[in-house]
Structures are given as C-alpha cells and as structure tokens.
C-alpha cells in the first residue's frame, strides 16, 4: 500500500526550495558576451559577483598565485581539492603543534592521493543546475536520486562525456553531494523503506498503534527528514558563497582528464536515445511527460518499422497502429478524475498525507487519492470533462497507473492482513509445519509488492518529466537568463542524430 509515498518520493516540500536565487554572471550569458557559444549544460568560467563572505576560508598559501583573480563560488565550482584546503586551514589553529609543523607535507600528500584517485563519469550524478536547468524547469521539481543519475548519464552520452575519467580532486562539491546521496539512497533509504513496509503490527497497543508502529515510525520520520535535509543542502550550496577560487581552479572544476577514458562502449540503443533528448525547459522544450499518447504511439510505430527488415511486418505494424489510433480517438476518458500526482502536492497536502499514514484501512493509496482529487477540485477542474484517450498526456496516464497499482496493492494487503493469509506466513507454515506462524509474526509481503511502483514506475515517470525531445526544442522562446535553452540551437551540431540512425 502507498504509505507515506510523499516522504519517499521527495514531494512538494522537498522541491520547494529554489537553488538559483541570486544573480550570477557564470553560464552562457558570459559566453555570449565573449562571443563564444556554449553547448547545452556547459558552464562558463567567467567570474560571478558574490557580495558575501565565503563559508570556508583558505589561507593565502592555499589560494594559489597572489596575482591571479579570485572569486567566491558555489558548489558547482568548488572542487574537493579546494574544499579540503579550506577545511584543513580552518582546523589548523586547533591542531597540535606537531601536526601544524607538518601541515604542508600533510596537504601535499592528501592532494597527491586525490589526484591519484580517479572515477568514471558513469559513477557520478549531477545537480540539475549542472545540466543547465533552473528552478522553474521540470527536472528541479520531478526528480529522485535514481532518475537524476539516469538523466545525468544520458546528457553525458549526448555530449560525448561517457566513459571519461575525473580526478577526485577535480570533482565539484555539487557532484560529490549528489553522488553520495545517490549511493546512500540506493543502499540505505530504499532498503529501510522496504523493511518498514514489511514490518508486521506484531502486537496492538492502543487503537491503530502497535509495536510495529513504534518500530516503523522512526524509519518513516528518518527517511523523510533525511530527504528534506539533502534537498535543502543541495539547493542552497549551488548558489551559496562556499569558497574563493582562482580562475584556473574554476576552469578545472568537474572537468575530465583529456584523452583518457575507461574501457567499454555505451550500448547503441542508449546512444540513440541520448542523441534525441535534452533536459526539458519550462519555456522552450516541453517535457516528454506532457506529450499526448497518440504521439508516443506514432513514434513507437516509426521506430518498430525502422528496425524491421520485413515489408510484411512493416505492413502489420502500420495496420495495428492505425487501429490503435482509431480506438484512441473514439475512446474518451475523464482526465480530471485522475488524482493529482503526489509530487504536485503542496506542503500542507504532503503533511496531511504523512499525518494519516497510520490510520487503519484508508492510509496510503486511498488517502492520497482523496487528497489528489480534492486538489483537482480546488484548482477548478471539471470532473465531467472528457477527452479522447489519444489526447491524454503521458504524465496523466502514468499517474493513473501509479494510483491503480498502489490501490490494488493496498486492497491485497488488507485482504492478507484481515484473512491472515499473507503469502510469507503461508510459505513459512509450509516449510515449518506445526509452528502456527501468523501474519503478525513475520515480515509482510507488502514491502516487496509496492517496491516496483515506488522505485520503478515513479523513477521512469520522473525521467520522462525531466527530458524533452530535441525536435520539440524552440530556443527562440527561451528566457534571457536561461543557461541552457538559449544554446539548444547548437545541440544538433554538438551531438545530433547521425544520418541513417534509427529514431525511437
């Protein structure tokens, strides 16, 4: 059942904090002033004006040449090497005298180790701002650590950065934060959530409160709080004045080692997909999630015919596509009866969903459906409106699939818990007959049942809402301050689809 999916998916609270609120001169604006066009997602090395003192202060010895200009930068340009120097310098006064005397050699050895440690771009995730997005773009709202990594890798492949090697010293603080959270999310947060959903009630204490509730509550609060802390930290560091760097240090930030790549080839199908997508822009490139189903059917048909070598099969695909399109034109659906997506809930709606987590029978999917429908009503949606199925957006269809899966899993779990026939308990009794094992004595199956919805469908949905098709890009509509969309006109020149390449 969908218990506290808001906390696990990020939700409105997580995405409320903007990550780019102050004026910056870095980005394609600077490149445009210098007459040099930048590729999508490119970051300029032009200095920005930050009127506040850096969070981390470096000693003059660590700041490089005294004549080289320095500026205060955020996590996009603060490298791990520079951050290490600043932290070490700030701790130096409180260290023992013997350690202070060896400070230069300690720092030199640390930098040597950081330069020797090398990582692949495949293992690194990036903040949306590193990909050229701002707080108004869909990727800044609809993202989770896994979808963010997928989008990062697609953009790396598109721009020819797949398989490149980065020194640990040159990794940016932003890349480090996103990557650490990705691995923490996959190895800790996801397993903890599955475990929480699997813990049985064990023994009732008072009303809906049981021993299982007492055990799972810290996990629920911990996962939600960790997600909010990460979001706030990640977004605030991007535009903060973290540390002062020289121009050469800023130019090296996040850059790979020239002419050095890890062995291995990116699958051709991934290259084909990457060559056709960009990071969606609120003004100039509508996300794939907003496209109608009829267009998805048309593109899928075109792809299938392109990879088929049999004229008879091509004709079958054409006939099937025609019948499907005709059906989608005739069949009508009520789009506003599909509840609002939990990712679109306001802070109040998010808190309400979490607060009702432990209410028996209606917590989870039923509660979120009620909140989502009420949100539609509050926004003035006409519940009687119908549209052809082919006009239904990808996002609406995936949201409907999400709720359908969640509600089905919720009903199945209620049936298992009330009838005492949880499959896990049944299997345990078959393996160990005579023990009389009940559903309240062993982990429930619901944790595993709900995992594909939360960590499969939701991730896929976030990716589709974060990306747009290159053919839908209209750079002329971009805002003057947007760092990516103003340069998307050059996207085909950077990594367009080669002639004869199959389009999906």
């Amino acid at each position: 059942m969908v218990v506290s999916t808001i906390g696990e998916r990020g939700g409105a609270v997580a995405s409320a904090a903007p990550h780019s609120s102050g004026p910056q001169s870095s980005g394609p604006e600077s490149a445009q002033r210098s007459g040099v066009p930048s590729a999508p997602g490119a970051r300029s090395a032009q200095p920005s004006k930050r009127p506040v003192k850096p969070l981390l202060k470096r000693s003059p010895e660590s700041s490089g040449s005294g004549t080289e200009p320095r500026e205060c930068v955020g996590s996009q340009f603060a490298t791990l090497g520079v951050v290490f120097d600043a932290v070490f310098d700030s701790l130096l006064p409180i260290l023992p005298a013997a350690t202070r005397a060896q400070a230069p050699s300690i720092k030199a050895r640390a930098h040597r180790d950081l330069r020797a440690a090398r990582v692949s771009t495949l293992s690194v995730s990036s903040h949306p701002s590193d990909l050229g997005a701002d707080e108004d773009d869909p990727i800044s709202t609809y993202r989770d650590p896994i979808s963010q990594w997928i989008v990062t890798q697609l953009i790396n492949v598109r721009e020819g950065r797949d398989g490149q090697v980065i020194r640990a010293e040159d990794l940016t603080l932003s890349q480090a934060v996103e990557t650490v959270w990705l691995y923490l999310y996959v190895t800790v947060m996801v397993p903890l959530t599955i475990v929480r959903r699997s813990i049985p009630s064990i023994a009732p204490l008072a009303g809906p409160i049981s021993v299982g509730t007492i055990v799972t509550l810290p996990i629920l609060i911990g996962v939600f709080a960790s997600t909010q802390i990460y979001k706030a930290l990640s977004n605030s560091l991007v535009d903060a004045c973290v540390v002062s760097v020289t121009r050469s240090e800023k130019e090296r930030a996040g850059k790979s080692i020239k002419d050095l790549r890890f062995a291995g080839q990116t699958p051709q199908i991934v290259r084909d997909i990457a060559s056709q997508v960009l990071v969606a822009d609120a003004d100039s490139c509508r996300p794939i999630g907003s496209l109608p189903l009829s267009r998805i059917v048309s593109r899928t048909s075109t792809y299938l015919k392109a990879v088929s070598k049999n004229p008879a099969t091509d004709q079958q695909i054409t006939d099937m596509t025609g019948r499907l399109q005709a059906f989608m034109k005739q069949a009508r659906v009520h789009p506003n009866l599909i509840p609002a997506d939990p990712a679109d809930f306001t802070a109040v709606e998010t808190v309400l969903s979490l607060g009702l987590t432990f209410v028996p029978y209606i917590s989870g999917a039923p509660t979120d459906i009620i909140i989502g429908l009420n949100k539609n009503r509050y926004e003035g949606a006409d519940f009687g409106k119908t549209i052809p199925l082919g006009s239904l957006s990808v996002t609406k269809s995936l949201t409907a699939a999400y709720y359908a899966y969640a509600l089905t899993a919720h009903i199945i779990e209620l049936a298992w818990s009330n009838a005492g026939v949880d499959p896990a308990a049944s299997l345990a009794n078959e393996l160990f007959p005579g023990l009389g094992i009940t559903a309240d004595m062993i982990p429930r199956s619901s944790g595993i049942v709900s995992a594909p919805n939360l960590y499969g469908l939701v991730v896929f949905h976030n990716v589709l809402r974060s990306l747009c098709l290159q053919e839908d890009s209209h750079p002329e509509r971009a805002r003057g301050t947007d760092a990516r969309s103003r340069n998307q006109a050059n996207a085909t020149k950077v990594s367009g689809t080669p002639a004869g390449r199959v389009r999906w």
Side-chain angles (χ1 to χ4, degrees), residues 125 145-155 459-460 463 467:
S125 188
I146 302 175
S147 71
Q148 185 65 38
W149 176 80
I150 293 174
V151 172
T152 298
Q153 299 311 316
L154 287 174
I155 298 303
V459 171
F460 178 64
V463 171
L467 296 172

Side-chain angles (χ1 to χ4, degrees), residues 364-382:
T367 298
D368 286 349
I369 289 173
I370 294 171
I371 295 174
L373 288 174
N374 184 68
K375 182 179 180 65
N376 289 349
R377 183 194 62 81
Y378 180 78
E379 294 176 351
D382 180 7

Side-chain angles (χ1 to χ4, degrees), residues 68-90:
E68 191 172 2
R70 288 188 291 271
E71 63 172 303
C72 194
V73 297
S75 59
Q76 285 181 278
F77 298 101
T79 62
L80 295 187
V82 170
V83 170
F84 169 79
D85 281 342
V87 173
F88 188 87
D89 292 341
S90 64

Side-chain angles (χ1 to χ4, degrees), residues 95-102:
L95 295 177
T99 304
R100 292 199 300 270
Q102 299 178 6

Side-chain angles (χ1 to χ4, degrees), residues 140-199:
S140 298
T141 301
Y142 305 112
R143 68 183 181 110
D144 60 80
I146 302 175
S147 71
Q148 185 65 38
W149 176 80
I150 293 174
V151 172
T152 298
Q153 299 311 316
L154 287 174
I155 298 303
N156 283 344
V157 172
R158 176 183 176 82
E159 299 185 356
R161 297 195 297 264
D162 55 309
Q164 291 186 347
V165 183
I166 305 177
R167 294 185 181 92
E169 184 179 47
D170 294 331
L171 278 175
T172 67
L173 181 60
S174 176
Q175 290 174 323
V177 169
E178 299 299 323
T179 303
V180 168
W181 176 249
L182 168 66
Y183 293 117
L184 185 65
Y185 181 81
V186 172
T187 60
V188 178
M189 301 301 173
V190 171
L192 276 179
T193 301
I194 293 176
V195 168
R196 179 184 67 78
R197 291 169 171 270
S198 302
I199 293 177

